[in-house]
Structures are given as structure tokens and as C-alpha cells.
Amino acid sequence: MNKLLFILLAFFAFAKGNAQLLDPVKWKTKVEKISETNYILTFNGVIEKEWHLYSQFTPDGGPLPLEIVFKDQKGNFDLVGKAKESKTTTAFNDIFGVNETFFHDKAQIQQEIVIVNQKVTSIQAELNYQVCKEVCINLEKKFTFKIPVVTAISATTPGSASVKLDSSKVDTSKTVAVVKAETATTVEKKGVEIPKSNSKRGLWSIFFIAFFSGFAALLTPCVFPMIPMTVSFFTKQSKTRAAGIKNAIIYGVSIILIYVLLGFLVTWIFGADALNALSTNVWFNIIFFVLLVFFATSFLGAFEIMLPHSWANKVDSQADRGGIIGILFMALALAIVSFSCTGPIVGTLLVEAASKGGIAPIIGMLGFSLALALPFMLFAMFPGWLNSLPKSGGWLNTVKVVLGFLELALAFKFLSNADLVLQLHLLEREVFLVIWIAIFGALAFYLFGKITLPHDSPLSHISVGRLSLGLIVLSFTIYLIPGLWGAPLKLISAFPPPMEYSESPLGVGSVNVASTSTTILPDGAKLGPHQIVVFDDYDKGLAYAKTVNKPIMLDFTGHACVNCRKMENNVWSDASILPILNNEVVLISLYVDDKRPLPKSEQFISKSTGSEIETIGDKWTDFMITKYNTNTQPLYVLTDLQGNSLNTKQPTISYVSVEEYLSWLKTGIANFKK
């Protein structure tokens, strides 16, 4: 009887410990044969209430996007395009300053493949993703898809029971086979929660950005002089004023159709979310950087981006045909002739729209073309307004140069994205701000007439408008400078790297010490949030804790963990908490999403999960699961110098209030001192 009771108690203790390992998404898979060589592999996920699963199209700088990894692909099968997703929601995250894309309630991901090697009987796939609620989790799940044959079809995941074919879902007339399988093997990492919002906000922001960009393009040397020329053509060539107005409206609508068609083609050719997927990739962020620098250099006057003259000549010849077709070709001629000015703006808009995915390129081109077409239609309706237009001159080139400076500044945001993802620390906060200060400072000098560029007209004086704009730019430049000394710069918080991604988290010229009795940073330590001395390596942190005889606070966190940042901003910063973290504990922050590879000699297979531990983040994830039977972030543990938990009743704590966090800290520290 005693043995039975012992076994039952042991079982419940084991169950209780492992119940902390959260798995908010339950997956089923299926295989669908659509031809002799083509198959669709489907992942169907059911998400627990209030949890968010992040899409493969959520942008860099926020939570980790979903990633699908196929094993042994080369020579066996090819992927057909990007994996397609079911309905998602897009919302702005004010912690990271990006629009995030996520699933709630359920998710479906479908990947079409083409079998190249007919001997292939199964395909190994792996989903890496992040889910969040009050805590965040990284998950890694493995699947095996059995390639269907005529009689036996199945798809299973490691550790699952064998599954029989659901004959009710097989349509033999179409040679389609479907099979379901439960997932089993799980390895967890980290996650993020984001505020709820409507995806329409992202599209509206794209529309208005594009709309104002269209007005900017209108004020360039390639477009502005064409307004009176085109309106005069319609008013003189039309037999009546009404006919002239009608033709001008058709002309404006044609401009809109041409640019919207461009947005549609981009969406159709690359897929609704393909550009978004590219925008989250390191190499494409670098390509976007180079592209925007190329556009900016053109606007600054180094060269002009021109389409072949033969295109314009052929289109002009078609414009002489008259009628609606002729007007349509006139609009096309405008697009081609003005490409040296509008091309960089359109290209930049398409890059920005890429980060939103979906129909954003179409919405962007609609906003841009509407602003471009409106003046032609309005001035045709009211020709007298032409007299109020300013004369063409050097100010048009000034507009073009200002746009060039803005594109150059924007380019470094994409380079920063790539640097942040790779954690190279080549473009840290100070370097980024110095570059922006130099760019906007040079723009201010240009507006004040102290710098001249190619194609600028001689400047005997500056207008009031140019002076006003110069003062605004100069004020913005001065506003950026305190950022080098640690100012938060909330006006541009979404652009530069975060405060922690810095050469000197306290700011240039500050003494590199925390508010502790320590005057020199110990080996392996750095300054973390609120200038707390922090280690990111467990062994070095433990060694230091032994020398100063202080308890250890383990902080299981992640670079893309929103709730981790919220705890640091709202709880760690509290006047009752910060002195404790500075003076009474040794803080060790272990990043579970650190993608840096471990040396080959340190890589291993996890005894807890059976997964391959290949990166630093994998190592700390496995440590968290093995030691503390949980997979959520943020997670905080107070330990003694032998690694034993100091809070016996509540060994770990997560996303809590200041009061609860303070009580937990005091209890653990008091136990250490006993």
C-alpha cells in the first residue's frame, strides 16, 4: 500500500512539474496529391484562446516569424513558391515599433511541392515559431509527411500513433489523398504578445504615405512642368470646354489605372505576401539598402534613371491616335518620361508596402497615382488656376534633392534591420544616429544655400519657404544630437536600434559603470536595461557571483520578447526594484533566441526533448526546460551559488506586478542570507 501511494505521489509530482511546459498550438497535418508529381503539404493549427501565433510574414524587428524548414530537399523535391497562409491579423506593436502579423484561434499553412526523385517516400519538415499571451514561447515541431501511393497513404509526426486513411476524404476521381496526423515531438524557445488592432490601419497608413509621396513627385522637375502643358493641350484640342474636362478626367483615370496595374502585377507575380517575406530576410534588407542609396544618389544629381528613349517614342506615336486609346497612351508617356523622378519614389513605396504584404502594393499605387492625377483633372476643370501656379525653376530641383536626402536616411533603416538580425553590432545606435545627424545636417546646410549640388540654379537669396524648411530640418538635427548621450528620441523610436544595442548604453562620454559599488565591469559583463550590470553567459556570471557572494537572478529572455521588454521597462525600472537588481543580486540574462551557432564540440542532442542543440539560444532553452520544466519567457529564477532555487514555494516567476516581483525578490534574498 505504501509503495502504491509512493508511486501515485511520484506520478502526480512528475505531472505537476511537466504541466508547466506550455504548448498552446495543437497541430494536425495532411497530404494532398494534385498531380503525378505535385503535392500540397498542409499544417493545421488550433491555437488556445488569447494566444497569438506569429506569421512567417511578420517583419524583422518584432517577434520571431514562423519558419518552415524542409530536410533533404536538394535533388528530392522542389518548393513551389512561398508557403500560403490562412487569414491573419496585422497590428502595430509600440514596443518594437513595427506592424506584426499573427494568427489567433487557428492557423493553416500550405506548401506545394514537386517531387523530383520518384524514390522519395517521405518528407521531413520542421516548424519554428513563436506564440504569446502573458508570456512568450518559442516552439520547434517536427513532422514526417508520407508521400501517398495508390493504396496506402499516411502522414505522421515523430512519437505519434499510426493513423489510418480517412477514406471519406479521398476523391479517387481527382487522384487526391488526404490524411491527418497529430504532432508529438516539441522543442520550445520563446514568444511575444502584441496589442490588438485592425489590419486596415496598416493599409490606411500605406495609402496616406503613398498619397503624400505622389504630391512630392508632382513637385519634381520631371512632372510639374507637364501640368500646364497637358492641361493646355486638352483645352485647346477639345471642341468644347466639357469635352476638355472629360478628356482630362480620362487622362487622370488612366494615370491611376497604370500605377494600380503596376501594384497589381507586383502582387500577382510575387504573391500576396511574397514581398513581405522578402522584406524580413537579411539579404533583401541589404538589397533594399543598396537600392535606396542608388535612388538617393540619382535624386541628388549624380545621374538620372532613364527608361529607354525608344519606349517613349513608341508611346508618343500611339498618343497621336486620339480618342480614349490616345489619351491612355498619353498617360503612359507621362509615366515613362517622368520615370527619372517618379521611379525612385515608386520603388521606395513598393519596398515599404512589401513590409505590409497582402494588397498593400495595390493600395500604395492607388494613393500615389491619385495624388499625381488630381492636379491634371482639377486644372482642366478650372484652367484659371494655372495662373496661380509658381513658375518652374530651381525650386523644383530643390524638391528632388530633399527627397534624395530623405531616401538616403531611410536606406540606413534597412541596413540597421539586417545588422540587428545578425547581431553584428556594426551599425549600433550611436553610429546610426551619427549618420542621420550628418544627413539631416547636410540637408539643412543645403536648404540654407551653403551646399550646392549638380543641376542647382544660381542662388542669390533663399525664399521664406526654403528658410522655414531649413529651420525645421536644423531643429530636427539638433533634436537627434542628445540621443548620443542616451536621450530616448521618442519621435523616431521606430527607426534607430534600441538603447541596449549600443556601444555605450549610458550615452557617448558617460562613465561606463552601473549604479553599484562596482566601478569596473567584471569580465564577461555588460550594461543592460537601466544600466544594470548583466552577464549573458551562465558560467561567467556564476564565477563572478561566487567572488562577491551574492545570489544569482537568472533572466530567461529573448531579443524579440515583447513581455520581457515590458517587464524591464515597467517593473525593473521601479524605484523599489532597481536598487535590488543593481546591488543585491548578480543578473544573468540568457537569450533563448540567440541564433549564434555553438562550436561543433559543444553541440549535442537534448536528453529532455531529443532535439539538436546547435545554437546558443538552443542551449539556454534546453537548460530552462531541463532545469525548470517550463518554456516561457520572461522567466526569472533566484538561485544560490550551487544553482538551487531560493524561493521554495515559488521557484520561478514570470510576467507579474511590481508588488509581487518585489515580494518574490525579498523572500529569495532573505533565504540566501540565512
Side-chain angles (χ1 to χ4, degrees), residues 220-276:
T220 57
C222 315
V223 181
F224 187 82
M226 299 185 73
I227 297 176
M229 293 169 53
T230 306
V231 172
S232 298
F233 172 82
F234 284 129
T235 54
K236 291 179 181 179
Q237 297 298 320
S238 303
K239 296 180 180 179
T240 64
R241 183 171 181 271
I245 293 174
K246 183 188 75 172
N247 290 338
I249 291 175
I250 294 173
Y251 180 72
V253 171
S254 298
I255 293 173
I256 294 173
L257 289 176
I258 289 168
Y259 282 99
V260 169
L261 179 62
L262 173 63
F264 174 79
L265 289 175
V266 168
T267 303
W268 179 68
I269 293 172
F270 293 99
D273 290 304
L275 280 176
N276 170 269

Coordinates of all heavy atoms in Angstrom, one line a residue, residues 220-276:
T220 N 8.4 67.7 -58.7 CA 9.7 67.5 -59.2 C 9.9 68.0 -60.6 O 8.8 68.2 -61.3 CB 10.0 66.0 -59.2 OG1 9.1 65.3 -60.0 CG2 10.0 65.4 -57.8
P221 N 11.1 68.2 -61.1 CA 11.3 68.8 -62.5 C 10.7 68.0 -63.6 O 10.5 68.5 -64.7 CB 12.8 68.9 -62.6 CG 13.3 68.8 -61.2 CD 12.4 68.0 -60.4
C222 N 10.5 66.7 -63.4 CA 10.0 65.8 -64.4 C 8.5 65.9 -64.6 O 8.0 65.5 -65.7 CB 10.4 64.4 -64.2 SG 12.1 64.1 -63.6
V223 N 7.8 66.3 -63.6 CA 6.3 66.2 -63.6 C 5.7 67.6 -63.6 O 4.8 67.9 -64.4 CB 5.8 65.4 -62.4 CG1 4.3 65.3 -62.4 CG2 6.5 64.0 -62.4
F224 N 6.1 68.5 -62.7 CA 5.5 69.8 -62.5 C 5.3 70.6 -63.8 O 4.2 71.1 -64.1 CB 6.2 70.6 -61.5 CG 5.5 71.9 -61.1 CD1 4.5 71.8 -60.2 CD2 5.8 73.1 -61.7 CE1 3.8 73.0 -59.8 CE2 5.2 74.2 -61.3 CZ 4.2 74.2 -60.4
P225 N 6.3 70.7 -64.7 CA 6.2 71.5 -65.9 C 5.1 70.9 -66.9 O 4.7 71.6 -67.8 CB 7.6 71.5 -66.5 CG 8.5 71.2 -65.4 CD 7.7 70.3 -64.5
M226 N 4.8 69.6 -66.7 CA 3.9 69.0 -67.6 C 2.4 69.3 -67.3 O 1.5 69.0 -68.1 CB 4.1 67.4 -67.6 CG 5.5 67.0 -68.0 SD 5.7 65.2 -68.1 CE 4.8 64.9 -69.6
I227 N 2.2 69.9 -66.1 CA 0.8 70.2 -65.7 C 0.2 71.2 -66.7 O -0.8 71.0 -67.4 CB 0.7 70.7 -64.3 CG1 1.1 69.5 -63.3 CG2 -0.8 71.1 -64.0 CD1 1.1 70.0 -61.9
P228 N 0.8 72.4 -66.8 CA 0.2 73.4 -67.7 C 0.2 73.0 -69.2 O -0.7 73.2 -69.9 CB 1.1 74.7 -67.5 CG 2.3 74.2 -66.9 CD 2.0 73.0 -66.1
M229 N 1.3 72.2 -69.6 CA 1.4 71.7 -70.9 C 0.2 70.8 -71.3 O -0.4 70.9 -72.3 CB 2.7 71.0 -71.2 CG 3.9 71.9 -71.1 SD 5.5 71.0 -71.1 CE 5.3 70.0 -72.5
T230 N 0.0 69.9 -70.4 CA -1.0 68.9 -70.6 C -2.4 69.5 -70.6 O -3.3 69.2 -71.4 CB -0.9 67.7 -69.6 OG1 0.4 67.2 -69.6 CG2 -1.9 66.6 -69.9
V231 N -2.7 70.3 -69.6 CA -4.0 71.0 -69.5 C -4.3 71.9 -70.7 O -5.4 71.9 -71.2 CB -4.1 71.8 -68.2 CG1 -5.4 72.6 -68.1 CG2 -4.0 70.8 -66.9
S232 N -3.2 72.6 -71.1 CA -3.4 73.4 -72.3 C -3.7 72.6 -73.5 O -4.6 73.0 -74.4 CB -2.1 74.3 -72.5 OG -1.9 75.1 -71.5
F233 N -3.1 71.4 -73.6 CA -3.4 70.6 -74.8 C -4.8 70.2 -74.8 O -5.5 70.2 -75.9 CB -2.5 69.3 -74.7 CG -2.8 68.3 -75.7 CD1 -2.3 68.4 -77.0 CD2 -3.6 67.2 -75.4 CE1 -2.6 67.4 -78.0 CE2 -3.9 66.2 -76.3 CZ -3.4 66.3 -77.6
F234 N -5.4 69.8 -73.6 CA -6.8 69.3 -73.6 C -7.7 70.4 -73.9 O -8.7 70.3 -74.6 CB -7.1 68.6 -72.3 CG -6.5 67.3 -72.1 CD1 -5.7 66.9 -71.0 CD2 -6.7 66.3 -73.1 CE1 -5.2 65.7 -70.8 CE2 -6.1 65.0 -72.9 CZ -5.4 64.7 -71.8
T235 N -7.5 71.6 -73.3 CA -8.4 72.7 -73.5 C -8.4 73.3 -74.9 O -9.4 73.7 -75.5 CB -8.0 73.9 -72.5 OG1 -6.7 74.2 -72.7 CG2 -8.3 73.4 -71.1
K236 N -7.2 73.2 -75.6 CA -7.1 73.7 -77.0 C -7.6 72.7 -78.0 O -8.2 73.0 -79.0 CB -5.6 74.1 -77.3 CG -5.2 75.3 -76.5 CD -3.7 75.6 -76.8 CE -3.3 76.9 -76.0 NZ -1.8 77.2 -76.3
Q237 N -7.3 71.4 -77.8 CA -7.7 70.4 -78.7 C -9.1 69.9 -78.6 O -9.7 69.4 -79.6 CB -6.8 69.1 -78.5 CG -5.3 69.4 -78.8 CD -5.0 69.8 -80.2 OE1 -5.6 69.3 -81.2 NE2 -4.1 70.8 -80.4
S238 N -9.8 70.2 -77.5 CA -11.2 69.8 -77.4 C -12.1 70.9 -77.9 O -11.8 72.1 -77.8 CB -11.5 69.6 -75.9 OG -10.6 68.6 -75.3
K239 N -13.1 70.4 -78.6 CA -14.1 71.3 -79.3 C -14.8 72.2 -78.3 O -15.2 73.3 -78.5 CB -15.0 70.5 -80.2 CG -14.3 69.8 -81.3 CD -15.3 69.1 -82.2 CE -14.5 68.4 -83.4 NZ -15.5 67.6 -84.2
T240 N -15.2 71.6 -77.1 CA -15.9 72.3 -76.1 C -15.2 72.2 -74.8 O -14.3 71.3 -74.6 CB -17.3 71.8 -75.9 OG1 -17.3 70.4 -75.5 CG2 -18.1 71.8 -77.3
R241 N -15.5 73.1 -73.8 CA -14.9 73.0 -72.5 C -15.3 71.7 -71.8 O -14.5 71.1 -71.1 CB -15.4 74.2 -71.7 CG -14.7 74.2 -70.3 CD -15.1 75.6 -69.6 NE -14.4 75.6 -68.3 CZ -15.0 75.1 -67.1 NH1 -16.2 74.6 -67.2 NH2 -14.3 75.2 -66.0
A242 N -16.5 71.3 -72.0 CA -17.0 70.0 -71.4 C -16.1 68.8 -71.9 O -15.8 67.9 -71.1 CB -18.4 69.8 -71.7
A243 N -15.9 68.8 -73.2 CA -15.0 67.8 -73.8 C -13.6 67.8 -73.3 O -13.0 66.7 -73.0 CB -15.0 67.9 -75.3
G244 N -13.1 69.0 -73.1 CA -11.8 69.1 -72.5 C -11.7 68.6 -71.1 O -10.7 67.9 -70.7
I245 N -12.7 68.9 -70.3 CA -12.8 68.4 -68.9 C -12.9 66.9 -68.9 O -12.2 66.2 -68.2 CB -14.0 69.0 -68.2 CG1 -13.7 70.5 -68.0 CG2 -14.2 68.3 -66.8 CD1 -14.9 71.2 -67.3
K246 N -13.7 66.3 -69.8 CA -13.9 64.9 -69.9 C -12.6 64.2 -70.3 O -12.2 63.2 -69.7 CB -15.0 64.5 -70.9 CG -15.3 63.1 -71.0 CD -16.2 62.7 -72.2 CE -15.4 62.8 -73.5 NZ -16.2 62.3 -74.7
N247 N -11.9 64.8 -71.3 CA -10.6 64.1 -71.7 C -9.6 64.2 -70.6 O -8.8 63.3 -70.4 CB -10.1 64.9 -72.9 CG -10.9 64.6 -74.1 OD1 -11.7 63.6 -74.2 ND2 -10.9 65.4 -75.1
A248 N -9.6 65.3 -69.8 CA -8.6 65.4 -68.7 C -8.9 64.4 -67.6 O -8.0 63.9 -67.0 CB -8.6 66.8 -68.2
I249 N -10.2 64.2 -67.3 CA -10.6 63.2 -66.3 C -10.2 61.8 -66.8 O -9.6 61.0 -66.0 CB -12.1 63.3 -66.1 CG1 -12.5 64.6 -65.4 CG2 -12.6 62.1 -65.2 CD1 -13.9 64.8 -65.2
I250 N -10.4 61.5 -68.1 CA -10.0 60.2 -68.6 C -8.5 60.1 -68.5 O -7.9 59.0 -68.1 CB -10.4 60.1 -70.1 CG1 -12.0 60.0 -70.2 CG2 -9.8 58.8 -70.7 CD1 -12.5 60.1 -71.6
Y251 N -7.8 61.2 -68.7 CA -6.3 61.2 -68.6 C -5.9 60.9 -67.2 O -5.0 60.0 -66.9 CB -5.8 62.6 -69.1 CG -4.3 62.7 -69.0 CD1 -3.4 62.1 -69.9 CD2 -3.7 63.5 -68.0 CE1 -2.0 62.2 -69.8 CE2 -2.3 63.7 -67.9 CZ -1.5 63.1 -68.8 OH -0.2 63.2 -68.8
G252 N -6.5 61.5 -66.2 CA -6.2 61.3 -64.8 C -6.5 59.9 -64.4 O -5.7 59.2 -63.7
V253 N -7.7 59.4 -64.8 CA -8.1 58.0 -64.5 C -7.1 57.0 -65.1 O -6.7 56.0 -64.5 CB -9.5 57.7 -65.0 CG1 -9.8 56.2 -64.8 CG2 -10.5 58.5 -64.2
S254 N -6.6 57.3 -66.3 CA -5.6 56.5 -67.0 C -4.3 56.4 -66.2 O -3.7 55.3 -66.1 CB -5.3 57.0 -68.4 OG -6.5 57.0 -69.2
I255 N -3.9 57.5 -65.6 CA -2.7 57.5 -64.8 C -2.9 56.6 -63.6 O -2.0 55.8 -63.3 CB -2.4 59.0 -64.3 CG1 -2.0 59.9 -65.5 CG2 -1.3 59.0 -63.2 CD1 -1.8 61.3 -65.1
I256 N -4.1 56.7 -63.0 CA -4.4 55.9 -61.8 C -4.3 54.4 -62.2 O -3.8 53.5 -61.5 CB -5.7 56.2 -61.2 CG1 -5.7 57.7 -60.6 CG2 -6.1 55.3 -60.1 CD1 -7.0 58.2 -60.2
L257 N -5.0 54.1 -63.3 CA -5.0 52.7 -63.8 C -3.6 52.1 -64.1 O -3.3 51.0 -63.7 CB -5.9 52.6 -65.1 CG -7.4 52.8 -64.9 CD1 -8.1 52.7 -66.2 CD2 -8.0 51.7 -64.0
I258 N -2.8 52.9 -64.6 CA -1.4 52.5 -65.0 C -0.6 52.1 -63.7 O 0.0 51.0 -63.6 CB -0.6 53.5 -65.8 CG1 -1.2 53.6 -67.2 CG2 0.8 53.2 -65.8 CD1 -0.7 54.8 -68.0
Y259 N -0.7 53.0 -62.7 CA 0.1 52.7 -61.5 C -0.6 51.6 -60.6 O 0.1 50.8 -60.0 CB 0.2 54.0 -60.6 CG 1.3 54.9 -61.2 CD1 1.0 56.0 -62.0 CD2 2.7 54.6 -61.0 CE1 2.0 56.8 -62.5 CE2 3.6 55.4 -61.5 CZ 3.3 56.5 -62.3 OH 4.3 57.3 -62.8
V260 N -1.9 51.6 -60.6 CA -2.6 50.5 -59.9 C -2.3 49.1 -60.5 O -2.1 48.1 -59.9 CB -4.1 50.7 -59.8 CG1 -4.8 49.5 -59.3 CG2 -4.4 51.9 -58.9
L261 N -2.2 49.1 -61.9 CA -1.9 47.9 -62.6 C -0.5 47.5 -62.2 O -0.2 46.3 -62.0 CB -2.0 48.1 -64.1 CG -1.6 46.9 -65.0 CD1 -2.5 45.8 -64.7 CD2 -1.6 47.3 -66.4
L262 N 0.4 48.4 -62.0 CA 1.8 48.1 -61.6 C 1.8 47.4 -60.2 O 2.4 46.4 -60.0 CB 2.7 49.4 -61.5 CG 4.1 49.2 -60.9 CD1 4.9 48.2 -61.8 CD2 4.8 50.5 -60.8
G263 N 1.0 48.0 -59.3 CA 0.8 47.4 -58.0 C 0.2 46.0 -58.0 O 0.6 45.1 -57.3
F264 N -0.8 45.9 -58.9 CA -1.4 44.5 -59.1 C -0.4 43.5 -59.6 O -0.4 42.4 -59.2 CB -2.6 44.7 -60.0 CG -3.3 43.4 -60.3 CD1 -4.1 42.7 -59.5 CD2 -3.0 42.8 -61.6 CE1 -4.7 41.5 -59.8 CE2 -3.6 41.5 -61.9 CZ -4.5 40.9 -61.0
L265 N 0.3 43.9 -60.6 CA 1.3 43.0 -61.2 C 2.4 42.5 -60.2 O 2.7 41.4 -60.2 CB 2.0 43.6 -62.4 CG 1.1 43.8 -63.7 CD1 1.9 44.6 -64.7 CD2 0.7 42.5 -64.2
V266 N 2.8 43.5 -59.4 CA 3.8 43.1 -58.3 C 3.2 42.1 -57.4 O 3.8 41.1 -57.0 CB 4.3 44.4 -57.6 CG1 5.0 44.0 -56.3 CG2 5.1 45.3 -58.5
T267 N 1.9 42.3 -57.0 CA 1.3 41.4 -56.1 C 1.0 40.1 -56.7 O 1.2 39.0 -56.1 CB -0.1 42.0 -55.6 OG1 0.2 43.3 -55.0 CG2 -0.7 41.1 -54.6
W268 N 0.6 40.1 -58.0 CA 0.3 38.9 -58.7 C 1.5 38.0 -59.0 O 1.5 36.8 -58.8 CB -0.5 39.2 -60.0 CG -0.9 38.0 -60.8 CD1 -1.8 37.0 -60.4 CD2 -0.3 37.6 -62.0 NE1 -1.9 36.1 -61.4 CE2 -1.0 36.4 -62.4 CE3 0.6 38.2 -62.9 CZ2 -0.7 35.8 -63.6 CZ3 0.9 37.5 -64.1 CH2 0.2 36.3 -64.4
I269 N 2.6 38.7 -59.5 CA 3.8 37.9 -59.9 C 4.5 37.3 -58.7 O 4.8 36.2 -58.7 CB 4.7 38.9 -60.6 CG1 4.1 39.3 -62.0 CG2 6.1 38.2 -60.8 CD1 4.9 40.3 -62.7
F270 N 4.6 38.1 -57.6 CA 5.3 37.6 -56.4 C 4.5 37.0 -55.4 O 5.0 36.3 -54.5 CB 6.1 38.8 -55.8 CG 7.2 39.3 -56.7 CD1 7.0 40.5 -57.4 CD2 8.4 38.7 -56.8 CE1 8.0 41.0 -58.2 CE2 9.4 39.2 -57.6 CZ 9.2 40.4 -58.3
G271 N 3.2 37.1 -55.5 CA 2.3 36.5 -54.5 C 1.9 37.6 -53.5 O 2.7 38.6 -53.2
A272 N 0.7 37.5 -52.8 CA 0.2 38.5 -52.0 C 1.1 38.8 -50.8 O 1.2 39.9 -50.3 CB -1.2 38.1 -51.4
D273 N 1.9 37.8 -50.4 CA 2.8 38.0 -49.2 C 4.2 37.8 -49.5 O 5.1 37.8 -48.6 CB 2.3 37.1 -48.0 CG 1.0 37.5 -47.5 OD1 0.9 38.7 -47.1 OD2 0.1 36.7 -47.4
A274 N 4.6 37.6 -50.8 CA 6.0 37.2 -51.1 C 6.9 38.4 -50.8 O 8.0 38.2 -50.2 CB 6.1 36.7 -52.5
L275 N 6.5 39.6 -51.2 CA 7.4 40.7 -50.9 C 7.6 40.9 -49.5 O 8.7 41.3 -49.0 CB 6.8 42.0 -51.6 CG 7.0 42.1 -53.1 CD1 6.2 43.4 -53.6 CD2 8.5 42.3 -53.4
N276 N 6.5 40.7 -48.7 CA 6.7 40.8 -47.2 C 7.7 39.8 -46.7 O 8.5 40.1 -45.9 CB 5.3 40.6 -46.6 CG 5.4 40.4 -45.1 OD1 5.5 39.3 -44.6 ND2 5.3 41.5 -44.4

